[in-house]
């Protein structure tokens, strides 16, 4: 009540002073809308450049890189040393690649600056060399996540995201709740790799379904809000019924990852198959099957890779590729 009285009193004083001060000055003349200068706020976004200016090709190929252990002394072609892993990330950053999760890739949510190229970083098996939390609650030095975060700090714009395909008890943590929650809360994707890393091609339909469903359940149990969106097939092998890898009684995935040896088609391309997304093994330029590894493919990709136009509401590509666009994306096509 006292506040209301004080407000009323102040209002009365203001009116009294206004009355004593003589006639009010005339208000400034109105400016016609057509003569109002445009806003100069720096927050107003500039339109994306013409697709041709950046060589946009959103029907290009995307490297989906596959990692396993990050160890000082690699024992197989699937291992990388911490130094090799860091060098590969540094190369990707220098060459204009920006990481996106597997879920965003298969869903076509590739929202990158004009001229940038998507890359999908995937890690199989949930090993402690990929991720572990130190006593301070931060990623342990030398792990893949710690290295990725360091490279991202050194290269602004290189988004530190990746997809981890885990089995039961990931990262050597029973249940994996603490590890998986940290990853989820920091923007990483958690994908299913089955509960026991089973070769689904050697199981009956019901056993295969149980392996997938149990892996899915364990992730949801650890972090209920981190429902898996994609599955990585152990050994790259489908069940006898390939559709079972994508959909079952308790799971429904948007993408299924292979253990392949070549880049993936654009999710907007007619030949893109979400049930069979190929991945490239991370590997240097020497050793057995090096021609199928990441170093070799990154050398070959510049002329055919996916290049963003900077506008998520259109799909830009050279006109000669028009027949490669999937029919469902025709309304967003912007050939040039």
């Amino acid at each position: 009540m006292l506040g209301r009285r004080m407000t009323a009193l102040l209002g009365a004083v203001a009116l009294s002073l206004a009355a004593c001060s003589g006639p009010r000055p005339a208000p400034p003349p109105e400016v016609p809308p057509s003569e109002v200068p445009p806003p100069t706020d720096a927050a107003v976004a500039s339109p994306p450049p013409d697709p041709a200016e950046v060589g946009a090709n959103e029907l290009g190929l995307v490297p989906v890189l596959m990692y396993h252990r990050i160890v000082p002394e690699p024992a197989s072609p699937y291992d990388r040393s911490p130094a090799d892993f860091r060098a590969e990330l540094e190369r990707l950053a220098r060459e204009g690649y920006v990481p996106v999760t597997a879920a965003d890739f298969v869903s076509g949510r590739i929202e990158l600056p004009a001229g940038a190229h998507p890359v999908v970083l995937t890690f199989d098996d949930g090993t402690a060399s990929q991720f572990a939390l130190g006593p301070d609650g931060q990623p342990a030095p030398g792990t893949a996540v710690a290295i990725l975060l360091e490279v991202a700090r050194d290269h602004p714009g290189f988004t530190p995201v990746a997809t981890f395909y885990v089995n039961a008890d990931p990262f050597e943590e029973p249940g994996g709740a603490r590890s998986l929650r940290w990853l989820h809360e920091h923007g990483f994707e958690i994908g299913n790799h089955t509960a026991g890393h089973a070769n689904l091609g050697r199981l009956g339909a019901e056993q295969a379904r149980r392996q997938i469903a149990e892996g899915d359940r364990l992730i949801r149990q650890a972090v209920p809000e981190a429902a898996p969106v994609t599955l990585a097939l152990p050994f790259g092998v489908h069940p006898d019924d390939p559709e079972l890898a994508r959909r079952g009684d308790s799971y429904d995935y948007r993408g299924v990852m292979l253990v392949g040896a070549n880049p993936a088609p654009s999710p907007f391309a007619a030949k893109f198959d979400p049930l069979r997304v190929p991945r490239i093994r991370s590997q240097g330029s020497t050793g057995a099957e090096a021609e199928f590894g990441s170093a070799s493919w990154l050398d070959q990709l510049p002329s055919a890779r996916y290049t963003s136009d900077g506008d998520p509401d259109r799909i830009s590509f050279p006109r000669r590729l028009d027949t490669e666009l999937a029919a469902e994306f025709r309304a967003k096509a912007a050939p040039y």
Side-chain angles (χ1 to χ4, degrees):
M1 182 64 71
L2 179 59
R4 291 180 181 177
R5 290 177 179 173
M6 181 63 69
T7 300
L9 178 59
L10 291 173
V13 170
L15 288 173
S16 176
L17 291 173
C20 295
S21 60
R24 298 180 182 178
E30 293 187 5
V31 179
S34 60
E35 298 179 17
V36 175
T40 58
D41 189 344
V44 176
S46 300
D50 184 273
E53 293 180 8
V54 295
N57 181 9
E58 296 181 322
L59 292 180
L61 299 173
V62 177
V64 181
L65 303 184
M66 179 181 66
Y67 299 92
H68 286 77
R69 298 192 310 161
I70 308 298
V71 291
E73 298 182 6
S76 84
Y78 289 90
D79 295 342
R80 298 303 308 264
S81 71
D84 287 342
F85 176 62
R86 183 186 298 273
E88 184 156 83
L89 295 183
E90 294 275 1
R91 175 181 181 175
L92 291 168
R94 287 195 309 270
E95 296 182 3
Y97 287 94
V98 177
V100 300
T101 65
D104 283 346
F105 169 62
V106 299
S107 302
R109 294 193 300 265
I110 305 177
E111 300 183 6
L112 303 182
H117 319 290
V119 61
V120 185
L121 309 176
T122 69
F123 296 81
D124 287 8
D125 304 343
T127 69
S129 68
Q130 297 168 4
F131 178 60
L133 286 172
D136 60 354
Q138 297 303 310
T143 60
V145 171
I147 295 170
L148 174 57
L149 293 173
E150 290 165 4
V151 172
R153 283 195 294 268
D154 294 339
H155 297 272
F158 190 75
T159 311
V161 298
T163 299
F164 289 86
Y165 289 108
V166 300
N167 310 115
D169 299 330
F171 312 112
E172 300 180 13
E173 178 195 353
R178 183 166 177 257
S179 299
L180 296 183
R181 178 160 294 284
W182 191 98
L183 289 172
H184 175 69
E185 291 178 349
H186 288 79
F188 294 90
E189 178 190 359
I190 303 165
N192 190 3
H193 201 35
T194 77
H197 203 278
N199 186 328
L200 301 178
R202 296 180 179 178
L203 302 179
E206 181 57 24
Q207 289 178 305
R209 187 199 66 77
R210 287 179 182 175
Q211 273 287 324
I212 299 170
E214 179 63 7
D216 191 278
R217 185 192 68 80
L218 290 172
I219 294 170
R220 293 171 186 259
Q221 178 177 288
V223 187
E225 61 271 33
V229 175
T230 58
L231 168 78
L233 296 167
F235 312 104
V237 180
H238 278 91
D240 288 343
D241 177 6
E243 185 64 25
L244 191 62
R246 179 164 61 175
R247 186 173 293 113
D249 293 340
S250 59
Y251 58 89
D252 189 353
Y253 298 133
R254 296 178 189 168
V256 177
M257 305 288 149
L258 302 175
V259 177
N262 53 280
S266 162
F268 309 125
K271 61 184 177 182
F272 178 74
D273 183 353
L275 261 176
R276 295 173 177 82
V277 179
R279 294 187 290 169
I280 302 169
R281 180 175 63 222
S282 176
Q283 186 175 353
S285 57
T286 61
E289 300 184 342
E291 68 269 29
F292 303 116
S294 55
S296 176
W297 273 114
L298 291 174
D299 287 342
Q300 300 175 52
L301 271 178
S303 64
R305 62 189 171 183
Y306 184 115
T307 301
S308 173
D309 68 359
D311 185 348
D313 294 324
R314 68 186 181 191
I315 301 171
S316 299
F317 50 87
R319 192 172 296 278
R320 69 179 185 278
L321 303 178
D322 188 67
T323 58
E324 298 183 15
L325 181 68
E328 62 264 35
F329 299 112
R330 182 59 58 186
K332 297 179 69 175
Y336 64 91

